[in-house]
Amino acid sequence: MIPTDYLTHWIPLTSLENMAETEYDVLIAGTGMGGGAVLWRLCEQWKNSGKRIGVIERGGPILPAQARNLPMMDNERLDRFFYDVSKPLPGSFPAYAGGRQLFALGGRTLFWNMISPRMSLSEIAGWPVSLEEMDAYYYIAEEAMNVTHNYTQGSSLTEILLGRLHRIGFPEAMAVPMAVDLQPRIYAEPDSDVFFSSMGFLAQALNRRPFDLAVRARVVQVLVDKGKVTGVQVMSPDRKIYNLKAKNVVLSASTFETPRLLLHSGIHGRAIGHYLTNHSSIRATGRISRAEFPEVLGTLGILMPGTAERHYQIQLRGPDSYDWYQTYQEKRLMEELEILFLAYGRVESRFENMITLDSNRKDEYGVPEIRVHFSYSDTDQAVILQAMAAVNHLSSALGITLIPRVGQSAIYLMPPGDLHHDSGTCRMGGDPATSATDRYGQIHGVSGLYIADNSVLPSVGTANVALTTAALAIRTADYIIRQE
Ligand SMILES: Cc1cc2nc3c(=O)[nH]c(=O)nc-3n(C[C@H](O)[C@H](O)[C@H](O)COP(=O)(O)OP(=O)(O)OC[C@H]3O[C@@H](n4cnc5c(N)ncnc54)[C@H](O)[C@@H]3O)c2cc1C
């Protein structure tokens, strides 16, 4: 068949002019982990319905898939590219000096490390979602994202160190869960999307039913009339303004941009912008002799999750602290293996850790910049010290010699914000005094306005956050479907 129109991009795009003509059932702002998960679920469930779904993405289509799927990306080029396309988070210095921001189709999942543990049961017990419901949505998210514990299967490095950890009293240590599609292919089924990103959500959504997508389009205001959302105002790079109409709006613009949008739109719940959390980030590098491990060495990926008593998580990565992924780089022959210890400390949810709008500083679209106010509490500091002591203990118990860094101790604290586990600024809960949304992610007092990104997490726990964000976003999508 000869096509009568042409696809000018590798993903179908719709102009803002055309989108302004449509009244959407759901409009989603942002295509990172949260936005992608909502879109996937809506398209999956509304397959044959006439519902209209629109997506607005501020960034451009800089990569068609997770960066590690591209054969030209070794770890060094990937890091260099990430640092080029992302920018320091404005208004975050010095309180949150490690913060960076990325605007792109697919959001930060284009570069994430795909480590996908669940939050501990003791953490979820304090949330406005039951353990059973969370369990069900974790299963859905894990299946959609291909989360597996088998990434390191067959690696003597992982198996021997895991065995040692179990013997010295850490039975909960496990092979790291990762969002990587390891299914063998049959009948020449293609698989160009091994390493998961939100692009996987967008692709699965598109293969179920069409949706409208505009890129390099920025939501600048949420439009509300008499306590009900009516749509969003969007600006193109040439500063043309478009008012898009929608019955439901889902903001998935990130922990920093989502509350910024709400506050700039005059939506001022008491908790909006507050309770900013992240993990404290502790690192150390050690060495161990190659001779201790038979072939096949493979990849080291071990996770010691946090527990009700232990308020930190520890990961071990190797065999080279830099070239961790077994992807496209040449493998060096090593006499000593480098093991990277990463500990993430739980950070309390505190009202005074927050983002505010700085009306004296506006960006090129005329939107006030944010200011980040962040510090560790005494409890957070105590957790940092406990995590450092644990890394010290583990390294010697495993026979790994820590390497002191020039001018620093061998075990050191990274600047706040360096981990992209920022969350909490629109946290979910029952009480509008301490939460921005209800238990389904709907902003208190504004019907049809939902949040689905890291900002909605009620607390940060010790686990990497993105899987939980996806699970909650899918749950919010199901809630929207039930309301329609
Ligand atoms: C190098 C790196 C490694 C990481 N490794 C891990 C890991 O192993 N495990 C883990 O759990 N997490 C990891 N993370 C963190 C994880 O990627 C983020 O926590 C997650 O992507 C956050 O999802 P989000 O939807 O909140 O935000 P994002 O993924 O950042 O998505 C926000 C989206 O909103 C868009 N946007 C912003 N403003 C607007 C606007 N006004 N209008 C329209 N669109 C807008 C952005 O362009 C973006 O697409 C890592 C992150 C990085 C950078």
Side-chain angles (χ1 to χ4, degrees):
M1 194 178 81
I2 299 169
T4 51
D5 61 351
Y6 296 92
L7 193 60
T8 51
H9 294 84
W10 49 263
I11 185 163
L13 298 178
T14 306
S15 68
L16 286 173
E17 282 79 5
N18 282 350
M19 287 186 78
E21 306 277 288
T22 306
E23 179 157 358
Y24 289 96
D25 291 285
V26 182
L27 258 180
I28 303 165
T31 58
M33 189 56 92
V38 168
L39 176 68
W40 166 73
R41 188 61 167 182
L42 291 177
C43 288
E44 199 217 22
Q45 299 290 309
W46 275 346
K47 211 171 179 175
N48 299 316
S49 77
K51 300 285 185 191
R52 287 141 308 174
I53 303 172
V55 184
I56 302 293
E57 170 51 56
R58 176 169 171 176
I62 62 166
L63 286 174
Q66 221 283 347
R68 287 181 181 81
N69 287 316
L70 306 186
M72 59 290 288
M73 283 285 171
D74 64 9
N75 280 315
E76 191 199 334
R77 283 191 286 272
L78 185 145
D79 280 357
R80 279 168 47 201
F81 186 51
F82 174 67
Y83 275 83
D84 181 48
V85 292
S86 64
K87 298 283 171 279
L89 177 68
S92 65
F93 195 81
Y96 201 75
R100 291 189 81 76
Q101 217 167 16
L102 173 69
F103 299 122
L105 185 67
R108 285 174 284 177
T109 67
L110 295 177
F111 296 94
W112 76 316
N113 284 319
M114 295 155 292
I115 294 172
S116 303
R118 294 181 175 198
M119 293 270 171
S120 67
L121 297 182
S122 56
E123 194 67 40
I124 299 169
W127 288 13
V129 186
S130 70
L131 292 175
E132 293 72 26
E133 212 185 338
M134 224 33 236
D135 189 45
Y137 279 100
Y138 270 134
Y139 272 115
I140 297 171
E142 284 163 347
E143 196 166 292
M145 294 164 62
N146 306 308
V147 176
T148 173
H149 286 264
N150 290 344
Y151 186 68
T152 58
Q153 198 175 29
S155 155
S156 64
L157 187 52
T158 295
E159 277 163 21
I160 288 175
L161 291 181
L162 203 48
R164 287 184 195 173
L165 279 169
H166 291 163
R167 280 194 297 280
I168 62 173
F170 297 101
E172 67 285 13
M174 58 169 107
V176 71
M178 290 187 57
V180 183
D181 185 1
L182 299 177
Q183 291 301 315
R185 296 292 132 184
I186 52 166
Y187 309 130
E189 274 179 4
D191 188 5
S192 58
D193 201 30
V194 171
F195 296 106
F196 185 84
S197 70
S198 180
M199 290 304 197
F201 280 141
L202 266 71
Q204 292 175 50
L206 193 61
N207 291 334
R208 289 198 174 46
R209 50 158 292 151
F211 54 86
D212 289 347
L213 166 68
V215 296
R216 298 193 188 88
R218 176 173 172 186
V219 175
V220 286
Q221 290 261 1
V222 180
L223 306 173
V224 178
D225 186 33
K226 299 189 187 85
K228 166 125 195 58
V229 79
T230 58
V232 292
Q233 190 171 84
V234 180
M235 276 170 97
S236 57
D238 59 2
R239 313 293 185 265
K240 268 182 90 171
I241 294 175
Y242 300 85
N243 286 334
L244 308 191
K245 296 182 278 302
K247 283 165 75 181
N248 298 285
V249 168
V250 184
L251 299 182
S252 301
S254 82
T255 297
F256 301 104
E257 292 301 314
T258 290
R260 183 182 182 194
L261 261 170
L262 291 169
L263 296 173
H264 183 53
S265 306
I267 300 167
H268 289 282
R270 183 175 179 272
I272 293 174
H274 294 266
Y275 301 101
L276 170 65
T277 50
N278 200 327
H279 292 126
S280 54
S281 164
I282 295 122
R283 289 195 185 187
T285 305
R287 290 211 180 102
I288 190 164
S289 168
R290 169 71 180 84
E292 292 193 33
F293 305 94
E295 289 295 352
V296 175
L297 187 62
T299 303
L300 170 64
I302 291 179
L303 176 79
M304 279 177 43
T307 61
E309 297 76 36
R310 194 172 59 220
H311 298 292
Y312 53 84
Q313 175 211 90
I314 297 184
Q315 284 174 43
L316 275 74
R317 297 185 192 170
D320 180 327
S321 60
Y322 196 67
D323 288 343
W324 180 54
Y325 289 91
Q326 299 279 314
T327 48
Y328 298 103
Q329 39 269 333
E330 202 176 305
K331 307 290 175 296
R332 295 186 289 128
L333 188 64
M334 292 173 281
E335 284 182 6
E336 282 198 309
L337 310 177
E338 264 185 26
I339 310 297
L340 181 63
F341 288 85
L342 297 126
Y344 301 160
R346 186 178 189 277
V347 168
E348 291 186 303
S349 300
R350 289 187 301 135
F351 187 78
E352 53 270 43
N353 281 343
M354 61 180 170
I355 68 132
T356 52
L357 292 191
D358 184 348
S359 47
N360 295 323
R361 287 188 315 124
K362 296 199 169 153
D363 68 14
E364 65 278 17
Y365 287 72
V367 180
E369 296 279 14
I370 57 164
R371 282 195 58 195
V372 180
H373 311 258
F374 185 84
S375 64
Y376 291 127
S377 69
D378 290 347
T379 307
D380 303 338
Q381 304 272 10
V383 171
I384 290 169
L385 293 179
Q386 288 160 17
M388 287 178 155
V391 170
N392 200 27
H393 168 68
L394 280 184
S395 57
S396 58
L398 293 172
I400 298 169
T401 311
L402 293 184
I403 312 165
R405 287 164 46 106
V406 184
Q408 260 177 328
S409 57
I411 306 170
Y412 53 97
L413 181 66
M414 298 294 286
D418 93 294
L419 284 176
H420 290 258
H421 299 176
D422 41 74
S423 48
T425 51
C426 293
R427 73 207 287 245
M428 199 180 256
D431 180 359
T434 55
S435 61
T437 80
D438 68 13
R439 56 189 300 268
Y440 293 105
Q442 186 165 211
I443 288 283
H444 291 300
V446 186
S447 115
L449 178 57
Y450 296 87
I451 312 298
D453 56 23
N454 280 5
S455 71
V456 91
L457 299 185
S459 60
V460 77
T462 58
N464 310 50
V465 290
L467 172 73
T468 306
T469 290
L472 288 176
I474 293 167
R475 179 174 170 271
T476 293
D478 279 358
Y479 182 76
I480 295 173
I481 291 164
R482 286 202 298 278
Q483 306 311 300
E484 283 299 300

